[in-house]
Amino acid sequence: MGWECMNSCGNLSPEPHYPSITMLPKGTSSSQDTKKVIFSVTGMTCAACAGSVEKAIKRLPGIRQAVVDVLNDKAQVLYYSPLVDEERIREAIEDAGFEAKAIEEESNETSSQICRIHISGMTCTSCSSTIESALQTLHGVQKARVALTTEEAEVLYDPNIVTCNHLMEAIQDTGFEALLISTGEHISKIELQIHGIKNEQSLNAIEHSLHALPGVETIDIYSHINKITITYKPYMTGPRTFIEVIESTGSGCFKAVIFPNDGGREARRQEEINRYLKLFMWSLAFTIPVFLTSMVLMYIPGVKQVLDIQVVNMLNIGLLLRWEFATPVQFIIGRRFYIGAYKALSKGSANMDVLIALGTNAAYFYSVYVVERAAFSGHFKGNDFFETSSMLISFILLGKYLEVLAKGKTSQAIAKLMDLTPETATLLTHDDEGNVVGEQQIDSRLIQKNDVIKVVPGAKVASDGFVIWGQSHINESIITGEARPVAKRKGDMVIGGTLNENGVLHVKVTRVGSESALSQIVRLVESAQMAKAPVQKLADHISKYFVPMVIVLSFSTWLSWFLAGKLHAYPKSWIPSSMNSFELALQFGISVMVIACPCALGLATPTAVMVGTGVGATQGVLIKGGQALESAHKVNCIVFDKTGTLTFGKPVVVTTKVFKSMSLKDFYEFAAAAEVNSEHPIAKAIVEHAKKIIENEQNHPWPEAHDFVSVSGHGVKAIVGNKEIMVGNKKLMADNNIAISADAEEILAEAEGLAQTGIIVSLDGEVAGVLAVSDPLKPDAKQVISILSSMKIRSIMVTGDNWGTANSIARQAGIETVMAEAQPEVKVSKIKELQSCGYTVAMVGDGINDSPALVAADVGMAIGAGTDIAIEAADIVLMRSNLEDIIVAIDLANKTFSRIRLNYIWALGYNLLAIPIAAGILYPSTRFRLPPWIAGGAMAASSLSVVFSSLLLKNYKRPTKLNRLDMNFNGIKIQ
């Protein structure tokens, strides 16, 4: 039952408060050499970010205290200067993924806002890094993240200094297209089209009326299409109110409807797919004649003679045709590569466009040189490479088309979530007495808080809320991963987007727009897919030097083969009959330039993280980004909270023994009639259990209780139906001289041994029965602990409950190491002790009072109900509250990280293998060489292979060992 590592590691316990203080060297006073520094930390958006910063700082030696203020973007650190310095602390914060700068304590606080921008035209990590750098240099930008796979930027900025327009201009200056998606958090947006507008004054009147509404943030008017865009706080107002205000303005001559949806993200994705397909088809149309005249038609008698007809000197028809067809491919269809290369080079970086532009230009302009020489010479014979440049561009465009198609599949999880909300909803109207007097079909985007909607069998729930009438079963699998339909009745919460299976429900709406569970899940998954895993730093570091290194290698390859040819270092027989030594060297140089692929490296991590987090969301496991995935796969110790984690979190009646000759129904009728007047959790448990036993529990009237008395800490007394009822513990019975039989004493003793609370019910001075109330262990807990043990993961329980209950629950669950009566700060100190012993620790808690421990752990896992998914302190949210999802989270993290490693091995291995082959390392022994157009195809194939490798994660299946879990929840016995 001990903490073995405490003995092996020595006295490493932090001070018993949070944030913790590291022990200083012996003989050092607490103030000696202790310094304070305040950092401005940019990029933090929630408590999870603050936790990451705090963890990063506290792992350094000599840190006495670290307090992170997420609201003001500050971190205050007390440290022991001989062990650590200010620069090392700053580096630790930046290693955690945030920007840090030491500031004066009096520095002005800044406000911050988030906006999301869609960026089109990015091809590799060099592009995203260029955009990130451009945004970071803007005054007022605190943090910028650019995701290559989702083609989006998330920018945290000070709206008092810089605007969204400035951000988009900065992106466009780098050579990419920018489109604003959203600004701010917890703000909804609606677009309305207004009919009946005759002049500018009408729009001004409407704008003035809307601005007067509480909760309206911004109004943008597009007068040329009569569109108005409103951003608003959904808990204060809503779109139906806007329509009513608009239609009541101007004597009712205006009519407002929701502006036709443009399809958003999917429309942009489809537009990009169509653009690449169109470019490829045009490129193919011009490239096929070039290919035929250079490699096919020249072998057909008669046609060859026509192609060889000389126009001017040695310039023949075939060469002229190839020049004419290759030129549009090079400069019109391939224009995007020139633009991308120019923009990248002008910003001091280099990307894939630079490699393509250099490679195709080398082939094209050498061929133009051949044309010129042929036109002005009567004896020159040279070979052109027009087919190389045009076929290279065609293959690269084909590769980009396939890559965009594949990348679109990696974000299908978000697309599916966003498509869950039904298009329409049935809105109910009630009279003053609460009776339904009317219903109407409305657009689901017009639903507002406190509306009552009707959900029929087979329909989706249009918004979050609670049931006020009806009973049914809801399929929540798409949101929580729970395969079995969940019973819903009056008072139960329902989640928007879930499917109603049988009965009719009336639901009162509590959350709409960005507040809804579905929106929060989408936001969490999007944020996770934006966040970079620490392992991605390797790719980002390599990408900075990759393109310049490839250019140097390419030039070195050409120069080496060219000099070798001039110096006759290899036999003339090595040179193909169709070219000379210069042309052979040029082909090797171009092949090296175009076969190297920075894209594969850049896509290795984000595509796997995107698919992994998306799969997790469909399994009811929300993983907040690559860092959480990377940490989760290293976990070898899990600390469990007890209440609400290993147990259900609320008392229930687990055993009943009736001694009098009366029915169980009558027994509970008396007990519940007395307890219904009490607010004690045990009393509520007895009443709830009575409802399950007595039929028609929803409308069952309990007998009236008179002379009700609550005896604090002992129980209740009342008169029910002329009988004196007492429900309570042994002390209550002893104080009222009620004898307890040996049988009752035996049951009470047994309950106490099982960490249950024994409750005695007496009628007219005699014991009528005994109840045992407990917060029972979840039925899957023991098997989950056993499976974790088989995975070499240590399980520990830390709880604030008493030792007796803690030991009993631990025995039932199969946990050997227990810490009871632990306050939140003690839980933190125990986690730190485990970390100091070399464990990678996951903390599993309810995400509320366990938040300090969730932050302190390497991986915080929050047990959350379906609608309680915004638990910011946790790295992973288990939406179903099932312990088996801990195993799913760890297993999915292992699978995803293994896929990332495989992607890196392939991407790095491809380049390490392909570049030497393209450079001609096999040519001396085998005469094998890669023509540039084949090298270009191989480059495109490498990116595709990485994306398809990540897509294989979509086939993820839960571990088979979970199928053997006994999920029998009916473990309550009645005697």
Side-chain angles (χ1 to χ4, degrees):
M1 303 288 287
W3 294 75
E4 298 91 332
C5 76
M6 289 171 62
N7 298 325
S8 61
C9 295
N11 184 14
L12 296 172
S13 299
E15 292 291 328
H17 61 80
Y18 185 81
S20 60
I21 295 179
T22 306
M23 296 295 289
L24 299 178
K26 289 183 179 179
T28 305
S29 69
S30 61
S31 60
Q32 180 183 348
D33 293 320
T34 298
K35 294 184 179 179
K36 181 173 83 169
V37 61
I38 297 176
F39 290 97
S40 169
V41 183
T42 57
M44 297 188 297
T45 58
C46 62
C49 300
S52 298
V53 173
E54 195 168 328
K55 276 192 264 187
I57 297 172
K58 288 183 177 180
R59 286 173 187 162
L60 296 174
I63 299 298
R64 296 196 67 240
Q65 189 181 55
V67 180
V68 180
D69 181 0
V70 69
L71 295 178
N72 296 313
D73 298 320
K74 287 183 181 179
Q76 177 179 292
V77 185
L78 292 178
Y79 64 96
Y80 179 60
S81 56
L83 293 182
V84 69
D85 58 19
E86 187 178 299
E87 181 62 19
R88 182 69 191 91
I89 299 169
R90 188 189 64 78
E91 288 175 357
I93 296 173
E94 294 193 342
D95 285 344
F98 304 90
E99 297 291 327
K101 182 171 67 174
I103 58 172
E104 296 294 328
E105 193 166 357
E106 297 78 21
S107 65
N108 295 327
E109 296 176 0
T110 59
S111 60
S112 61
Q113 186 168 307
I114 286 180
C115 78
R116 299 177 73 90
I117 301 170
H118 173 78
I119 303 169
S120 56
M122 293 189 294
T123 56
C124 60
T125 51
S126 180
C127 301
S128 58
S129 298
T130 300
I131 296 170
E132 275 187 7
S133 300
L135 290 170
Q136 286 288 126
T137 55
L138 288 178
H139 181 51
V141 171
Q142 298 156 15
K143 180 69 176 177
R145 295 192 301 182
V146 179
L148 175 65
T149 46
T150 58
E151 297 183 326
E152 288 181 10
E154 184 178 88
V155 188
L156 182 71
Y157 66 100
D158 185 346
N160 299 319
I161 300 174
V162 68
T163 66
C164 289
N165 288 334
H166 291 137
L167 301 177
M168 290 193 290
E169 284 172 10
I171 294 170
Q172 287 163 354
D173 286 344
T174 61
F176 302 93
E177 295 178 16
L179 177 68
L180 184 66
I181 299 173
S182 65
T183 58
E185 289 186 301
H186 307 299
I187 300 293
S188 293
K189 182 171 80 170
I190 191 77
E191 294 179 339
L192 300 175
Q193 190 167 39
I194 306 172
H195 300 289
I197 297 290
K198 294 190 174 135
N199 50 45
E200 198 73 25
Q201 286 76 18
S202 301
L203 281 172
N204 291 336
I206 290 170
E207 183 180 8
H208 182 74
S209 300
L210 290 171
H211 265 306
L213 292 173
V216 171
E217 291 287 295
T218 63
I219 298 174
D220 294 317
I221 295 176
Y222 304 89
S223 55
H224 59 292
I225 53 174
N226 291 340
K227 185 176 88 168
I228 189 164
T229 301
I230 307 163
T231 59
Y232 62 96
K233 296 176 181 175
Y235 53 88
M236 296 180 68
T237 187
R240 282 208 320 283
T241 304
F242 304 149
I243 291 174
E244 288 170 8
V245 167
I246 291 169
E247 294 184 347
S248 64
T249 303
S251 306
C253 60
F254 304 129
K255 182 159 185 68
V257 295
I258 290 193
F259 198 82
N261 193 359
D262 63 356
R265 179 196 299 255
E266 186 55 37
R268 290 193 297 271
R269 178 78 66 188
Q270 193 59 47
E271 183 184 344
E272 187 178 18
I273 290 170
N274 292 339
R275 184 170 71 250
Y276 274 114
L277 179 60
K278 184 178 178 182
L279 284 171
F280 170 67
M281 296 306 291
W282 274 109
S283 181
L284 200 62
F286 285 98
T287 301
I288 288 174
V290 177
F291 173 77
L292 291 176
T293 56
S294 64
M295 296 187 177
V296 177
L297 299 179
M298 63 190 323
Y299 297 107
I300 301 176
V303 178
K304 183 180 185 306
Q305 280 75 11
V306 173
L307 294 175
D308 286 341
I309 295 173
Q310 295 174 350
V311 181
V312 179
N313 289 327
M314 298 299 292
L315 178 62
N316 58 42
I317 290 177
L319 182 56
L320 194 60
L321 285 174
R322 288 194 291 277
W323 185 25
E324 289 176 352
F325 279 107
T327 300
V329 178
Q330 184 70 34
F331 297 108
I332 299 175
I333 297 168
R335 178 172 173 267
R336 63 173 303 280
F337 299 120
Y338 284 97
I339 294 172
Y342 170 75
K343 294 290 186 180
L345 292 172
S346 65
K347 294 295 179 181
S349 64
N351 58 10
M352 191 189 75
D353 289 336
V354 174
L355 295 179
I356 295 169
L358 285 174
T360 56
N361 276 338
Y364 178 83
F365 284 108
Y366 175 76
S367 301
V368 171
Y369 164 75
V370 170
V371 171
E372 184 184 357
R373 285 292 306 273
F376 291 98
S377 173
H379 53 80
F380 173 79
K381 285 190 177 181
N383 295 288
D384 64 280
F385 289 156
F386 285 124
E387 82 285 350
T388 294
S389 62
S390 56
M391 290 175 70
L392 186 54
I393 289 174
S394 296
F395 268 94
I396 289 167
L397 289 173
L398 174 61
K400 292 302 295 180
Y401 167 68
L402 296 174
E403 185 182 315
V404 172
L405 275 178
K407 277 163 58 179
K409 296 181 184 299
T410 64
S411 58
Q412 279 183 347
I414 290 181
K416 286 180 181 177
L417 288 170
M418 294 175 78
D419 290 340
L420 285 178
T421 306
E423 292 184 1
T424 61
T426 303
L427 179 68
L428 300 178
T429 52
H430 295 77
D431 58 19
D432 294 337
E433 297 178 359
N435 300 314
V436 177
V437 295
E439 61 180 61
Q440 64 177 121
Q441 289 289 116
I442 63 168
D443 191 304
S444 61
R445 291 171 291 180
L446 296 177
I447 295 174
Q448 296 182 189
K449 194 172 181 180
N450 295 323
D451 282 345
V452 177
I453 56 175
K454 177 181 176 182
V455 188
V456 298
K460 289 180 180 178
V461 180
S463 195
D464 294 4
F466 62 90
V467 178
I468 61 172
W469 181 87
Q471 294 185 28
S472 185
H473 285 81
I474 300 287
N475 185 337
E476 298 180 344
S477 59
I478 194 68
I479 301 289
T480 66
E482 175 59 68
R484 293 168 298 181
V486 181
K488 300 290 181 181
R489 56 186 181 186
K490 186 176 180 180
D492 289 338
M493 298 298 297
V494 293
I495 309 171
T498 54
L499 182 66
N500 182 25
E501 295 209 335
N502 35 46
V504 177
L505 297 175
H506 291 180
V507 176
K508 186 167 186 176
V509 174
T510 57
R511 293 177 178 177
V512 294
S514 60
E515 291 183 318
S516 69
L518 196 56
S519 294
Q520 291 182 52
I521 292 171
V522 169
R523 196 157 56 241
L524 271 177
V525 176
E526 283 182 333
S527 179
Q529 294 177 350
M530 293 285 292
K532 292 181 180 178
V535 71
Q536 195 173 340
K537 288 182 180 179
L538 172 66
D540 291 345
H541 188 70
I542 292 173
S543 67
K544 288 181 182 178
Y545 308 101
F546 189 90
V547 174
M549 183 184 70
V550 168
I551 293 171
V552 170
L553 284 173
S554 175
F555 181 76
S556 301
T557 300
W558 169 79
L559 188 61
S560 299
W561 278 100
F562 176 67
L563 291 176
K566 286 294 182 184
L567 299 174
H568 307 292
Y570 58 82
K572 283 190 175 181
S573 60
W574 287 14
I575 303 173
S577 58
S578 60
M579 61 180 67
N580 57 37
S581 61
F582 174 84
E583 292 167 350
L584 179 66
L586 185 63
Q587 282 218 346
F588 281 128
I590 295 173
S591 293
V592 169
M593 192 170 290
V594 298
I595 201 168
C597 186
C599 298
L601 273 174
L603 294 170
T605 298
T607 53
V609 169
M610 178 176 280
V611 179
T613 51
V615 168
T618 63
Q619 297 279 345
V621 176
L622 294 181
I623 303 170
K624 297 182 180 178
Q627 185 159 354
L629 275 170
E630 189 165 337
S631 298
H633 103 280
K634 300 175 184 174
V635 166
N636 54 12
C637 178
I638 298 183
V639 176
F640 290 91
D641 177 44
K642 179 183 76 69
T643 307
T645 302
L646 290 171
T647 66
F648 284 101
K650 63 178 182 178
V652 294
V653 176
V654 291
T655 306
T656 307
K657 178 67 175 178
V658 180
F659 296 115
K660 277 184 169 281
S661 56
M662 60 190 304
S663 69
L664 192 65
K665 178 179 176 181
D666 291 339
F667 173 79
Y668 269 104
E669 186 124 325
F670 282 114
E675 291 283 33
V676 76
N677 299 295
S678 173
E679 289 298 315
H680 195 280
I682 289 179
K684 290 182 177 180
I686 292 171
V687 173
E688 285 300 312
H689 194 67
K691 286 180 180 180
K692 294 176 184 177
I693 289 174
I694 299 171
E695 293 179 359
N696 194 25
E697 68 274 11
Q698 286 299 311
N699 302 314
H700 184 80
W702 303 113
E704 188 176 355
H706 301 282
D707 302 329
F708 174 81
V709 178
S710 177
V711 184
S712 181
H714 300 302
V716 299
K717 297 191 290 186
I719 304 296
V720 178
N722 298 322
K723 290 185 180 290
E724 184 182 14
I725 310 294
M726 291 188 198
V727 183
N729 56 19
K730 288 196 289 185
K731 182 71 167 58
L732 179 67
M733 301 300 145
D735 290 346
N736 289 274
N737 300 317
I738 296 174
I740 301 175
S741 65
D743 289 344
E745 287 280 11
E746 184 180 340
I747 292 172
L748 290 172
E750 181 183 342
E752 289 173 8
L754 294 172
Q756 299 168 354
T757 303
I759 302 295
I760 304 166
V761 179
S762 73
L763 290 177
D764 291 333
E766 293 184 6
V767 174
V770 175
L771 311 172
V773 179
S774 174
D775 181 9
L777 187 74
K778 288 182 178 177
D780 58 344
K782 185 172 183 179
Q783 294 95 325
V784 167
I785 300 300
S786 175
I787 292 171
L788 289 172
S789 178
S790 70
M791 296 167 66
K792 309 298 183 191
I793 297 175
R794 182 183 181 189
S795 297
I796 296 169
M797 187 175 80
V798 182
T799 178
D801 214 336
N802 63 73
W803 278 100
T805 302
N807 286 329
S808 174
I809 293 294
R811 278 197 305 272
Q812 294 176 48
I815 296 175
E816 296 181 358
T817 308
V818 182
M819 196 69 189
E821 300 176 5
Q823 297 304 310
E825 62 269 17
V826 177
K827 293 181 181 180
V828 172
S829 68
K830 295 306 176 187
I831 286 172
K832 288 185 175 294
E833 287 175 4
L834 288 164
Q835 289 171 332
S836 68
C837 293
Y839 285 104
T840 300
V841 182
M843 170 69 194
V844 185
D846 59 15
I848 303 168
N849 58 351
D850 291 317
S851 56
L854 289 169
V855 169
D858 296 285
V859 182
M861 295 188 184
I863 295 282
T867 55
D868 187 22
I869 53 86
I871 303 175
E872 293 183 340
D875 301 302
I876 297 174
V877 181
L878 311 177
M879 293 180 60
R880 295 192 301 168
S881 301
N882 284 353
L883 292 174
E884 64 181 89
D885 288 339
I886 296 169
I887 296 166
V888 173
I890 293 174
D891 183 65
L892 180 58
N894 290 338
K895 295 283 198 309
T896 304
F897 204 75
S898 296
R899 186 63 55 179
I900 290 172
R901 275 199 296 253
L902 183 64
N903 287 350
Y904 271 124
I905 289 169
W906 166 249
L908 287 169
Y910 162 81
N911 284 297
L912 290 173
L913 186 65
I915 290 175
I917 292 175
I921 196 172
L922 300 178
Y923 192 68
S925 58
T926 65
R927 302 294 184 277
F928 175 79
R929 63 185 175 89
L930 281 175
W933 61 274
I934 293 180
M939 181 271 288
S942 68
S943 294
L944 283 171
S945 64
V946 167
V947 175
F948 283 124
S949 171
S950 296
L951 281 171
L952 290 176
L953 279 170
K954 293 179 74 174
N955 299 323
Y956 173 81
K957 296 288 188 292
R958 295 157 66 87
T960 53
K961 59 187 78 172
L962 291 180
N963 297 334
R964 299 194 296 272
L965 279 179
D966 179 16
M967 297 302 292
N968 179 21
F969 285 86
N970 302 315
I972 299 172
K973 58 178 181 178
I974 303 294
Q975 294 180 329

